[in-house]
Amino acid sequence: MTDQPTKLKFVNQIMVVSGIFCIMTALLLILNFWQVKQTDPLDSVALKTLVLKLNTEPNNEELKQEIRNLDLLARKAYFNSHWQVKTGSYLLFFGAIVFFISLKISHDLKSKIERPIELGKNDPIARLLSQRWIMVTIAFLFLGALGSAYLSNDYLKMYNLGDGKTKGKDLSSIKQIDVSAADSTATDSLAGGKDSTLTGKTGALLSIADIKSQSNSFRGPFGNGCSWHKQIPTSWDGAKGRKIIWKVKVGKKGFNSPVIWNDKIFLAGADAKTRMVYCFDMATGKTLWQQAASNINGSPSSTPKVSDDTGLSASTVVVDGQRVFAIFANGDLIAFDMEGKRLWAKNLGLPDNHYGHASSLIALKNKLFIQFDTNKGGRLIALNVLTGATIWDTKRSSKIAWSSPILMPSGGRTLLITTSNPFVAAYDTETGKEVWSVECLSGEVAPSATYGSGLVFAAQENAKLVAIQPGSPTKILWEGDEYLPEVSSPVVSNNLLFICTSFGVMACYDAKTGKKNWEQEFGTGFYASPVVAEGKLYALDMKGKMHIVKVSKEKKIIGEPTLGEKAFATPAFADGKIILRGSQYLYCIGDKK
């Protein structure tokens, strides 16, 4: 065993090196932990100063961009520091394992060399073991470092919309650049909206204010039927061309609604041969691009059977600022960039749907959400916006539905709210796990949910209207069955709930009690969902007449302008403009320059 001393020397060297490594790593971890604890990445004096300056210069676009850039740099620095703490903790853990293994091997080798081993004053192992205070100090240092790593606050995670760990901090003065022209009556529960989200391949910061300034999905931002735009027209005449800035004929038929991002309008259309996505210029109505959803792997060779009032393109597209997503009745799903370049496409399977797939898309951060409820069962799917890869796919114990999901801030995270037969349910957008559900609907559910006044509302013809109070437990606060929608979704504003039915009645309820404030029979039914903007409710009936009423407990009709053709799509809003899709034409309504 002549090589035992050599082995012992080598093991002792490993033990010394790993021990020194552990001590240095532990000290650095504790120091880094102290720095992270002392630094809130959002509590920047420079950032606060710029935001205060923005309050006096609200239209300074360069200042807004400077704030976004500084905010992004602060976040990057914080992420780097937090990564160092987490990485250091793993290094310390593995270093400690190496140290103690080498210590044990060294002790065993000495036992073989010296029989019996005598732990004397000249034995370094003996000296180390005998000095208990040294071992205790090392243990405390080790545990303190590990504790520092895992107890360090992740401030960005606390603030991040959708992670479920908010501490209720008000970031309105720092994180969110308040560029919205938000009407406070348009929504009552966007407290969680004082947050920001990351989207896009470049990691561009997209704040809640950015989303509010658009009309990027069915029923506007978050799918909740509320718009923050200003100077919305209240009178026009489509047949005579009064206040019609432009109108263009859409190539393919579709019941989906237009959506807007900055100066571009998007919508879709389809027939038995072709499925198309269109992009129009907001100022002129010129077609900027049109692209076919074709050559998609798994796409069925035959056209699905659909009803005349659903068609092959009933689902509204969604835009996240860098991409536009569309889905069709045959299960084809496709993504384009803002210039019309195809990014990815896939087929989700032919929907087993006797009317035709109609659920609209919605997106948040890096996820595209699809409610895919068919006769074969319910599914809620989240796909990666960059690649189309599945992030999660949740099977649901629900029946077929034609409704669309909406996004609702709740306790610091964002929930996906769905309506179906028989459940109104909430899902965590990060994991796809069900958070709560209430069994309260029946029949062929088409209207989406809405939220406001701390409640979630859902309704369906031949079922009932319910006000759900999320909590522990989640419960139905009140319900009614007098006026129920068949297709049109309810909307809440200023503690008032509005319902538009397919037989032509609009009703206004107290959102918190269910008391009916007023009703009005218009004679023509509603398929389009009402949208609230500037304290006014815009409800488009199937003949193309827009019924504009004041959001109030007292009934007050502001105007009833007509489009001049039938209409089934929900309007989209921009400052000073309304975009409406009729049965043949797409209209831009506003003051002509």
Side-chain angles (χ1 to χ4, degrees), residues 541-556:
D541 71 23
M542 286 186 274
K543 287 185 178 180
K545 178 183 285 189
M546 184 74 81
H547 304 276
I548 307 171
V549 302
K550 183 179 180 180
V551 175
S552 171
K553 291 183 178 179
E554 292 75 37
K555 179 173 57 180
K556 181 179 180 181

Side-chain angles (χ1 to χ4, degrees), residues 337-352:
D337 69 12
M338 301 295 278
E339 305 305 319
K341 178 184 177 182
R342 177 167 168 161
L343 300 175
W344 55 264
K346 65 193 304 181
N347 184 271
L348 299 179
L350 181 64
D352 184 358

Side-chain angles (χ1 to χ4, degrees), residues 318-341:
V318 68
V319 183
D320 70 356
Q322 295 188 24
R323 293 158 291 267
V324 54
F325 309 91
I327 189 171
F328 297 91
N330 66 347
D332 281 350
L333 176 66
I334 194 164
F336 298 98
D337 69 12
M338 301 295 278
E339 305 305 319
K341 178 184 177 182

Side-chain angles (χ1 to χ4, degrees), residues 62-75:
E62 292 183 357
L63 181 58
K64 292 175 184 177
Q65 189 58 46
E66 186 178 356
I67 293 173
R68 290 188 179 103
N69 292 340
L70 182 58
D71 178 74
L72 185 58
L73 287 174
R75 290 165 187 272

